[in-house]
Amino acid sequence: MTPTGPTVSMFALLGLPEFRPGDDLAGILGDALAGVAHDGDIIAVTSKIVSKAEGRIVAAADREDAITAETVRVVAERAHADGSGTTRIVENRQGLVMAAAGVDASNAPDGHVLLLPEDPDRSARHLAEVLRDRLGIRVGVILTDTLGRPWREGQTDAAIGAAGVVVLQELAGSVDGNGRPLAVTAPAIADELAAAAELVKGKAGNRPVAVIRGLGHLVTGLDVPGARALIRPSERDMFRWGSREAYADGYAAGLAARDSQA
Amino acid sequence: MTPTGPTVSMFALLGLPEFRPGDDLAGILGDALAGVAHDGDIIAVTSKIVSKAEGRIVAAADREDAITAETVRVVAERAHADGSGTTRIVENRQGLVMAAAGVDASNAPDGHVLLLPEDPDRSARHLAEVLRDRLGIRVGVILTDTLGRPWREGQTDAAIGAAGVVVLQELAGSVDGNGRPLAVTAPAIADELAAAAELVKGKAGNRPVAVIRGLGHLVTGLDVPGARALIRPSERDMFRWGSREAYADGYAAGLAARDSQA
């Protein structure tokens, strides 16, 4: 029979409580993972429960105002054809480019919205520290959120926070199966872990935490870069602005140049 | 002990041969998966071996010429700072927006390049048909390739072809854990499967095929949309053009507008 490589397995934790501001998330997850987690496991935690436990719930009469408050830079916006509002793709306080700045009204009480953790890497690191200490094993932690993307329909989960796990595998200097250099390849491991975890966490059920087992070679000390390293600096981004916004800026500059020549 | 959800497991096939034009890929994979694959498994196949077996290797004195030939629309381009060439993000013949049109020089003999399968969904469907028939079980098939993305560093694997598997899970009408509607959420399942599979296939070793087990509810008949459904039509894309390209178009239009008024 065909030989196979090592098996990676993934499963979600069931029966976790609804999290509220002030909850000791690390303690609760430590309890939940005791006897379940193994050395080398990677724990994928939906960022929404981190936000809830950290009290990142704010009263907001208007979700749009909350989005504005979290926005550092509007990347692109477009009014919905049906007049139901505007999609805003922005760079938020965490440096992430995402729809609605990561402000979530669907998982918060009426009249409130849920914000992303203030510093997702710090939150991930705290979780990893507590879990490692509590369980006596080396685990990696990623915080996940759901991101849309240009050019492709639907969303995939990505890592917005990480600790104790390789986030980006720099393969420059490595070779492919033919011995040729893999110069520009750098798998965004933490995003692939987040996407994989979503397959067992899902969106509808109350399964905000998944365990990924069998990738212990990706688990590291806590002194490696977090998920912030997956954010491309906007000045190096060929899609720093929406097409319509960039066109409008160019148009205005073209007019002004013409005026100054006149 | 904390209850856990169903386990999803993934592993790569080892010892597959190097594929060459004319090889019966479906037959070889059917042999390799006999006794290995189970009903409900999803088989993730690196598109490069499909390209090789389908003879999508062309002589190309210049990789840039090959990219031009595969390009339908240049989305963005930028010269490398070190003068080593130009990065071109293009929409290719398959409708995918990707760097270098998916043309790969690193996995082809000297003086040749590897193109993507001509119709990746058709290739996936053929594989799924043959594998289902040969193995007597219902498997899903995705063809994967490595894509960069705006705003985030590194690449993740995505599904460029699919058959017999849910590619996009439309959750409109579903509710979240609080009973609120999940209106705009549509997980790009096939891309998450591709990303997950990359974690066991990797880039360096000769592991072009992975089996994902435990997600049989995502396996369907062969009459469902393929990965083409994951491509957002460019006219609906807020990032249809690179920022610099859109700015330049706008600038030219601004100048011309004044001319027409003068």
Side-chain angles (χ1 to χ4, degrees):
Chain A
M1 203 166 78
T2 310
T4 57
T7 295
V8 169
S9 58
M10 316 189 284
F11 53 86
L13 300 184
L14 302 183
L16 291 173
E18 184 71 17
F19 290 94
R20 295 179 202 291
D23 279 349
D24 175 17
L25 176 66
I28 294 169
L29 292 189
D31 288 346
L33 288 164
V36 172
H38 294 181
D39 190 66
D41 282 355
I42 297 163
I43 316 298
V45 180
T46 304
S47 63
K48 294 197 190 315
I49 67 169
V50 179
S51 295
K52 287 180 180 175
E54 291 182 354
R56 298 279 291 161
I57 300 174
V58 297
D62 188 281
R63 176 167 172 265
E64 298 303 315
D65 291 345
I67 296 170
T68 301
E70 292 299 303
T71 294
V72 170
R73 178 172 72 89
V74 176
V75 173
E77 56 188 336
R78 187 168 297 185
H80 301 168
D82 63 2
S84 64
T86 300
T87 295
R88 277 192 279 173
I89 313 294
V90 308
E91 180 182 325
N92 68 10
R93 293 179 180 280
Q94 288 78 11
L96 296 158
V97 176
M98 57 192 300
V103 171
D104 181 6
S106 75
N107 284 282
D110 276 336
H112 292 70
V113 297
L114 198 62
L115 309 180
L116 293 184
E118 192 161 331
D119 181 341
D121 279 334
R122 188 179 63 202
S123 302
R125 193 182 175 111
H126 173 69
L127 270 177
E129 281 169 350
V130 172
L131 293 176
R132 287 178 179 209
D133 187 53
R134 164 86 164 75
L135 304 171
I137 55 177
R138 210 159 83 135
V139 295
V141 170
I142 58 171
L143 303 195
T144 69
D145 202 6
T146 302
L147 300 185
R149 56 269 169 87
W151 316 328
R152 295 183 72 72
E153 300 285 8
Q155 302 91 34
T156 54
D157 273 22
I160 67 165
V165 64
V166 172
V167 295
L168 192 68
Q169 201 166 33
E170 301 281 4
L171 295 180
S174 306
V175 294
D176 68 14
N178 295 326
R180 291 162 181 274
L182 279 167
V184 295
T185 306
I189 297 292
D191 283 345
E192 296 189 322
L193 290 166
E198 211 273 326
L199 294 167
V200 293
K201 291 189 301 175
K203 291 275 177 286
N206 182 32
R207 300 184 180 188
V209 177
V211 176
I212 304 174
R213 180 163 298 157
L215 293 169
H217 62 283
L218 299 175
V219 176
T220 67
L222 296 180
D223 53 348
V224 299
R228 180 89 201 185
L230 289 173
I231 299 177
R232 178 176 299 144
S234 65
E235 62 274 15
R236 289 206 291 107
D237 201 304
M238 295 164 87
F239 300 89
R240 172 178 166 77
W241 304 108
S243 305
R244 190 177 293 185
E245 287 72 15
Y247 183 96
D249 280 358
Y251 191 92
L255 278 182
R258 190 69 190 169
D259 281 343
S260 69
Q261 286 168 24
Chain B
M1 204 165 80
T2 309
T4 57
T7 295
V8 169
S9 59
M10 317 187 283
F11 53 86
L13 300 185
L14 303 182
L16 290 174
E18 183 71 18
F19 289 94
R20 297 180 201 290
D23 279 348
D24 175 17
L25 176 66
I28 294 168
L29 292 188
D31 288 346
L33 288 164
V36 171
H38 294 182
D39 190 66
D41 282 355
I42 296 163
I43 316 298
V45 180
T46 304
S47 62
K48 293 195 191 318
I49 67 169
V50 179
S51 295
K52 287 179 181 175
E54 292 182 355
R56 299 278 291 160
I57 300 174
V58 297
D62 188 281
R63 178 168 171 264
E64 298 303 314
D65 292 343
I67 295 171
T68 301
E70 292 299 302
T71 294
V72 171
R73 178 171 72 88
V74 176
V75 173
E77 57 187 336
R78 188 168 294 186
H80 300 167
D82 63 2
S84 64
T86 300
T87 295
R88 274 191 280 174
I89 314 293
V90 308
E91 180 182 326
N92 68 11
R93 292 180 182 281
Q94 288 78 12
L96 296 158
V97 176
M98 57 191 302
V103 171
D104 182 6
S106 75
N107 284 282
D110 276 337
H112 292 70
V113 297
L114 198 62
L115 310 180
L116 293 184
E118 193 162 330
D119 180 343
D121 279 333
R122 189 180 62 200
S123 302
R125 192 181 176 110
H126 173 69
L127 271 177
E129 281 170 351
V130 173
L131 292 176
R132 287 178 180 209
D133 187 54
R134 165 84 164 76
L135 304 170
I137 55 177
R138 211 159 82 135
V139 296
V141 170
I142 58 171
L143 303 195
T144 69
D145 201 8
T146 302
L147 300 185
R149 55 268 170 87
W151 316 327
R152 294 182 74 70
E153 300 285 9
Q155 303 91 33
T156 55
D157 273 22
I160 67 166
V165 64
V166 172
V167 295
L168 191 69
Q169 200 167 31
E170 299 281 4
L171 296 180
S174 305
V175 294
D176 68 14
N178 295 325
R180 291 161 181 274
L182 280 167
V184 296
T185 307
I189 297 293
D191 283 345
E192 296 190 320
L193 290 166
E198 210 274 326
L199 294 167
V200 293
K201 290 189 301 175
K203 290 275 177 285
N206 182 32
R207 299 183 182 190
V209 177
V211 175
I212 304 174
R213 180 163 299 158
L215 293 168
H217 61 284
L218 299 175
V219 177
T220 67
L222 296 179
D223 53 348
V224 300
R228 182 88 200 188
L230 289 173
I231 298 177
R232 179 175 298 143
S234 65
E235 61 275 14
R236 290 205 293 107
D237 201 304
M238 295 165 86
F239 300 89
R240 172 175 165 81
W241 304 108
S243 304
R244 190 177 291 185
E245 286 72 17
Y247 183 95
D249 281 357
Y251 191 92
L255 280 179
R258 294 303 276 201
D259 283 341
S260 67
Q261 287 168 24

